[in-house]
Amino acid sequence: MLGGAASLVIACYAAVSSLPSIQFPSGPRNTPGLSAAVSINLDHYGVPLIEARTREDAFTALGYMTGRDRLFQIDIMRRKTVGRLAEILGEPLVEDDRLNRTFGFSRLAEQILARLPESQRTVLAAYAAGVNQAMDDLLTLPFEFWALNYKPERWSPKDSILVALNLSMLSYAVEEERMASVMREALPAAVVSFLTPDSDCYNEKLAPSGANTCADTSRPPDELRTFLHKSTQKATNSGAIRETSAARGSNAWVIGGGKTRDGRAIVANDMHLTLGLPNVWYQADLRYGPHRMEGLFLPGLPMMIAGSNGHIAWGLTSVDGDFSDLVRLRKDPGDNNLYATPKGVRAFSSRSESIAVRGKESVSVDVRDTIWGPVLPQPLLGEEVAVAWSMLDASATNLNLLQLDEARTVREALPILQSAGTPPLNGLVADDRGSIGWTLMGKIPARRGLRGIYSEHWDASEVGWDGFLSPSALPTIVDPPEGYIVSTNQRMLPTSVFSTRLSQDYPGGFRAWRVDDALRGSSKLGVAEMVALQLDTKTDFYRFYQDIALRALKGPASQGQPEAARLLAALESWDGRAEPRSKGLALITEFRQTLLQEILSPIFEDCRRLDPDFTYRWSNSDVPLQAIIRSGDPAFLPKSENSSDWTNFLQAALAESAKRLEAKHGRPISEISWGDVNQVAIAHPFSRVAPFLSALLDLPRSPVAGCPQCVRLYEVADGEGVGANARTVVVPGEEQKSVIQFAGGQSGQFGSAHYADRQQDWVSGRATSLRSQEVVSTILLTPAGAR
């Protein structure tokens, strides 16, 4: 809770208890800027069908509905991006604000807005007019504004750009560069390379890199053995290992007409982000002129992110790539205000920012800028670093996705996707003729003289960026012979085909392999089969850990041991899936976590000495972990009382894992199901500010299917649930057959009938129609001054 804010508690309680929903006046609403009346038909989920004469009128209406349903959400997003959260939420948010002020997003948004074509600025202005009209029509503000005692400022086109820049954080990946740079200082080069593979063995099967890291015969480098032999450290479980999150991922695949029952193509798309209230996406259906755009929008931004225009359908996934670099600064010894560049020393440019803090004095922030980007607040290994990041270039953001309303074929859509100003993403598209395609989107740095995994000095001309890859240089796949394309954040193409390194650590390899395996031998597919695949929880990923545990328990030393028999029975009960009823998987995943900590932690003791905040977070950490275990080399055993040999160590690790689970859940390991440990808890952000409101605002915990290494992805990362906020299966040209699953509900207003009315369907995996035929109520917007 905000420190000492007793008035906040009273305001929260009064606001929530008195507002069953946000009220609006009835009757037509006069709205500035409209060229003609717009009707908004709402279905039983509160999803609007907007019918307008022009694109601008349609987006005015979308802005109006977004302002009605998501006002606090969009206000928080623009505040977050511009660095104004502490102003309303207090001192704990100062560091977040400091980072966003360092990026200079406010100034960048103005530069982006000035570069946009007039047609896009007109859409932004129309959308802003709709949001502002909704604010004017509110009879009372959403309770969050009352509780925090502030009123939202008027919406502007710049604010929508700020929302787009908030999405750009999907491409910010400097933490793994910090991690690798510390590792390079502390560890032998071969060990660092071994611990940082850019993909896993499943990804290597689909799009090989040419490396041999996934061969069964691959072994840890000799340098690791020597390094560990010199170490006197025991495994400390000191927090040096943290699991990466799949929060930035997504699944998408497209099926060509040759593999479907009716010859029509299909797009399946799961949008993976942190789960919260309200949903990160806003569903809408827009008709204007000859166009119809139905799908998912990002609240605050007048642009459809995924959906269909009746001729083409598209879905997006994160590249999960590396599009930012830390630049080590070599400062002039005699003048701290000078730094070296390829053209000689240069003075930092500077700017001052003032962060307003609720209940406290303002905090002054002095930001220094370089020719590559701003100097970050946090040094690296005692040295200041600047950040070069593609999304800090004003040319990297635009609204070109709006042009997809005109595309009729895959080949027309691909150049639009390639020109779109978004964080780098995978774009998958299908058309009503049965064709399918994939391409990359966004600005991809053209690196010179560096790989990007380590922070380097850029004051020599041989090191840096040569701008960005041109849209025409971005790879494409169109109608491949296998009849489908899969993108689950993995490497999409072999390096022999596309050599540019996009990521240092591709996740999603198993998901890609599993979807590819399911589609390869199938034909005559339809919507039902795609929904079933989206909900697939079969996961062979964890078989390795089950197998080594079973072998350890079945050794001669375990024969007749009651504890071994008990654990053996629990392991053998696993059905290979991550369903709430599945037994044994909880033990296997806990065992894997134990092995990660016990085996890998000792390697990083020198890293922790160099940087006490060091943590090893790597999506593909299982590759080195499994190689160490497969080697059977006693030199790699952790130094502990249970490490006389690998069998003893594995048995002890398994027993310790079972003990932790039993202590947490209060019953024998044989009775602990996956649903006991894998539970979804979706929270409203305000419940963190006022925890006493959690029971009112947050959705109840419930067991949920899925796992971090399932097609149906679900995990808890850093205390938050991560999964598919929405799942869609779209048949372009047959949208009435298309379906959606949507977490939570359409409205962000507590007390609304649509606050969480879709949650149970989402938990159970029940898909509903993307296009509703039912009209529950209608809102009419009329041009200002009309009668």
Side-chain angles (χ1 to χ4, degrees):
M1 188 179 300
L2 296 176
S7 59
L8 174 66
V9 176
I10 297 170
C12 290
Y13 181 80
V16 173
S17 62
S18 64
L19 286 179
S21 63
I22 300 301
Q23 300 297 319
F24 282 80
S26 59
R29 308 308 305 152
N30 283 351
T31 306
L34 289 179
S35 67
V38 179
S39 66
I40 307 171
N41 295 319
L42 301 176
D43 71 6
H44 58 288
Y45 288 125
V47 176
L49 166 59
I50 295 169
E51 297 185 275
R53 188 174 70 86
T54 68
R55 175 197 272 175
E56 290 74 20
D57 287 354
F59 279 108
T60 297
L62 180 65
Y64 185 85
M65 291 306 303
T66 304
R68 281 175 59 108
D69 290 334
R70 304 290 188 90
L71 185 58
F72 183 67
Q73 181 187 30
I74 64 175
D75 187 63
I76 284 291
M77 280 198 289
R78 67 173 167 179
R79 282 182 170 274
K80 177 182 178 182
T81 309
V82 82
R84 291 181 58 194
L85 287 179
E87 182 178 326
I88 59 169
L89 297 175
E91 196 170 25
L93 277 300
V94 166
E95 289 309 310
D96 288 351
D97 284 352
R98 187 191 304 273
L99 182 61
N100 286 319
R101 296 293 183 96
T102 298
F103 291 142
F105 281 138
S106 180
R107 181 181 58 178
L108 178 62
E110 293 170 356
Q111 295 169 353
I112 292 167
L113 192 61
R115 290 176 55 92
L116 294 180
E118 182 63 28
S119 60
Q120 294 182 14
R121 291 201 300 270
T122 300
V123 168
L124 289 171
Y127 186 85
V131 173
N132 290 328
Q133 185 61 50
M135 282 196 271
D136 290 341
D137 285 355
L138 280 167
L139 297 180
T140 182
L141 286 169
F143 85 88
E144 296 95 339
F145 294 103
W146 284 98
L148 293 171
N149 193 30
Y150 83 99
K151 292 182 179 180
E153 297 163 3
R154 306 295 284 178
W155 196 263
S156 72
K158 175 184 173 180
D159 294 324
S160 288
I161 300 299
L162 291 173
V163 170
L165 289 173
N166 188 43
L167 189 66
S168 72
M169 295 304 293
L170 288 171
S171 71
Y172 186 65
V174 300
E175 289 312 310
E176 66 183 17
E177 190 169 327
R178 286 183 179 276
M179 180 204 79
S181 297
V182 173
M183 289 170 65
R184 181 173 65 171
E185 289 288 316
L187 303 174
V191 174
V192 178
S193 179
F194 171 68
L195 293 168
T196 56
D198 70 355
S199 63
D200 67 7
C201 304
Y202 294 101
N203 202 160
E204 289 296 317
K205 294 175 183 178
L206 299 174
S209 65
N212 199 33
T213 56
C214 285
D216 289 339
T217 57
S218 64
R219 292 177 56 83
D222 291 338
E223 289 89 338
L224 179 59
R225 182 185 296 103
T226 304
F227 178 79
L228 289 174
H229 179 71
K230 292 178 180 177
S231 173
T232 60
Q233 298 293 325
K234 293 184 178 181
T236 61
N237 296 321
S238 59
I241 312 290
R242 292 180 65 190
E243 278 277 62
T244 57
S245 168
R248 299 192 299 184
S250 292
N251 295 338
W253 56 89
V254 284
I255 313 297
K259 289 181 74 71
T260 63
R261 290 192 185 90
D262 57 7
R264 291 186 176 274
I266 302 175
V267 178
N269 194 194
D270 300 359
M271 313 280 271
H272 300 158
L273 288 168
T274 301
L275 294 161
L277 289 172
N279 196 303
V280 69
W281 307 115
Y282 188 80
Q283 185 183 350
D285 186 351
L286 278 59
R287 291 182 189 170
Y288 52 93
H291 306 297
R292 185 166 191 173
M293 301 283 281
E294 50 191 315
L296 299 172
F297 295 78
L298 185 65
L301 184 64
M303 193 167 67
M304 194 164 78
I305 303 299
S308 174
N309 72 2
H311 297 280
I312 63 165
W314 63 96
L316 308 179
T317 70
S318 171
V319 174
D320 217 304
D322 182 9
F323 310 107
S324 53
D325 281 326
L326 296 176
V327 183
R328 299 173 66 183
L329 299 176
R330 213 185 310 264
K331 292 193 289 185
D332 189 300
D335 188 341
N336 198 47
N337 195 45
L338 299 176
Y339 66 100
T341 78
K343 296 183 178 180
V345 295
R346 183 171 179 142
F348 292 98
S349 59
S350 61
R351 50 191 163 91
S352 294
E353 303 272 352
S354 180
I355 300 174
V357 184
R358 183 188 179 104
K360 302 281 185 178
E361 292 186 2
S362 296
V363 174
S364 295
V365 176
D366 294 323
V367 180
R368 290 184 298 166
D369 288 296
T370 71
I371 59 173
W372 305 292
V375 179
L376 293 179
Q378 183 182 3
L380 174 61
L381 295 170
E383 192 171 37
E384 284 193 309
V385 289
V387 62
W389 181 20
S390 61
M391 296 308 297
L392 294 182
D393 189 301
S395 68
T397 301
N398 60 49
L399 271 65
N400 288 2
L401 281 180
L402 288 171
Q403 300 169 21
L404 286 174
D405 64 0
E406 297 281 358
R408 294 295 182 264
T409 67
V410 164
R411 293 191 180 276
E412 290 178 6
L414 290 177
I416 297 173
L417 293 172
Q418 290 173 325
S419 73
T422 67
L425 297 167
N426 295 290
L428 291 92
V429 63
D431 63 33
D432 57 4
R433 305 177 189 185
S435 185
I436 58 175
W438 162 86
T439 193
L440 287 172
M441 305 164 56
K443 295 289 189 181
I444 311 295
R447 290 185 171 96
R448 176 183 71 253
L450 73 161
R451 175 182 162 186
I453 190 172
Y454 307 117
S455 177
E456 309 285 4
H457 291 103
W458 286 25
D459 50 10
S461 59
E462 295 82 10
V463 179
W465 288 2
D466 291 325
F468 306 102
L469 300 186
S470 67
S472 61
L474 300 178
T476 61
I477 302 173
V478 178
D479 295 329
E482 56 269 25
Y484 60 88
I485 306 170
V486 178
S487 175
T488 66
N489 320 122
Q490 85 282 13
R491 184 194 297 114
M492 289 292 296
L493 293 170
T495 54
S496 60
V497 175
F498 183 66
S499 60
T500 300
R501 181 183 289 271
L502 298 178
S503 176
Q504 312 296 343
D505 183 26
Y506 288 103
F510 175 78
R511 285 181 280 128
W513 179 86
R514 174 65 184 151
V515 174
D516 183 88
D517 186 60
L519 296 177
R520 189 181 309 116
S522 302
S523 60
K524 307 303 179 186
L525 298 168
V527 170
E529 288 78 12
M530 295 303 95
V531 172
L533 186 52
Q534 287 178 318
L535 301 176
D536 179 75
T537 62
K538 185 177 179 181
T539 177
D540 292 334
F541 180 89
Y542 299 104
R543 289 293 188 190
F544 173 87
Y545 302 100
Q546 182 193 35
D547 290 344
I548 62 171
L550 289 173
R551 286 198 298 271
L553 292 173
K554 290 179 179 180
S558 300
Q559 297 301 314
Q561 297 293 326
E563 177 69 3
R566 191 173 73 92
L567 297 176
L568 191 65
L571 290 167
E572 290 179 333
S573 69
W574 184 39
D575 60 5
R577 297 186 177 276
E579 294 290 334
R581 65 180 181 276
S582 297
K583 299 289 182 64
L585 181 58
L587 177 57
I588 295 168
T589 57
E590 187 72 15
F591 177 54
R592 173 182 169 272
Q593 284 293 324
T594 301
L595 296 180
L596 277 168
Q597 293 293 338
E598 296 286 344
I599 294 173
L600 297 187
S601 284
I603 301 173
F604 300 111
E605 289 301 322
D606 286 349
C607 296
R608 297 281 281 187
R609 278 192 283 271
L610 269 178
D611 180 358
D613 296 326
F614 174 87
T615 54
Y616 172 71
R617 301 186 72 166
W618 204 255
S619 298
N620 293 296
S621 58
D622 291 271
V623 175
L625 176 66
Q626 292 180 16
I628 289 173
I629 296 171
R630 278 197 312 269
S631 74
D633 191 330
F636 301 133
L637 276 169
K639 294 178 173 66
S640 72
E641 61 273 14
N642 298 315
S643 59
S644 58
D645 60 52
W646 275 99
T647 297
N648 287 338
F649 168 73
L650 294 173
Q651 288 175 347
L654 190 63
E656 178 61 29
S657 301
K659 182 180 178 181
R660 282 198 302 271
L661 285 172
E662 289 174 330
K664 182 176 182 179
H665 296 283
R667 54 185 184 277
I669 194 65
S670 61
E671 297 178 12
I672 299 174
S673 69
W674 187 236
D676 292 325
V677 301
N678 200 59
Q679 297 192 350
V680 63
I682 301 182
H684 187 288
F686 206 73
S687 64
R688 298 174 196 156
V689 177
F692 70 96
L693 290 177
S694 176
L696 283 173
L697 297 177
D698 300 347
L699 301 186
R701 297 182 68 89
S702 57
V704 66
C707 71
Q709 297 290 348
C710 291
V711 177
R712 185 174 184 172
L713 185 145
Y714 180 75
E715 66 171 328
V716 177
D718 297 327
E720 296 182 305
V722 174
N725 300 76
R727 302 182 185 97
T728 57
V729 178
V730 181
V731 183
E734 294 281 353
E735 283 71 23
Q736 69 277 9
K737 296 179 180 178
S738 304
V739 296
I740 187 171
Q741 298 173 51
F742 194 87
Q746 180 80 346
S747 176
Q749 313 296 358
F750 173 77
S752 165
H754 307 303
Y755 183 68
D757 55 336
R758 306 171 80 171
Q759 177 66 8
Q760 191 50 51
D761 284 344
W762 180 86
V763 170
S764 64
R766 178 177 175 267
T768 57
S769 176
L770 179 71
R771 176 182 291 180
S772 177
Q773 305 299 319
E774 179 183 6
V775 176
V776 173
S777 62
T778 299
I779 299 170
L780 183 65
L781 303 184
T782 56
R787 292 190 175 185

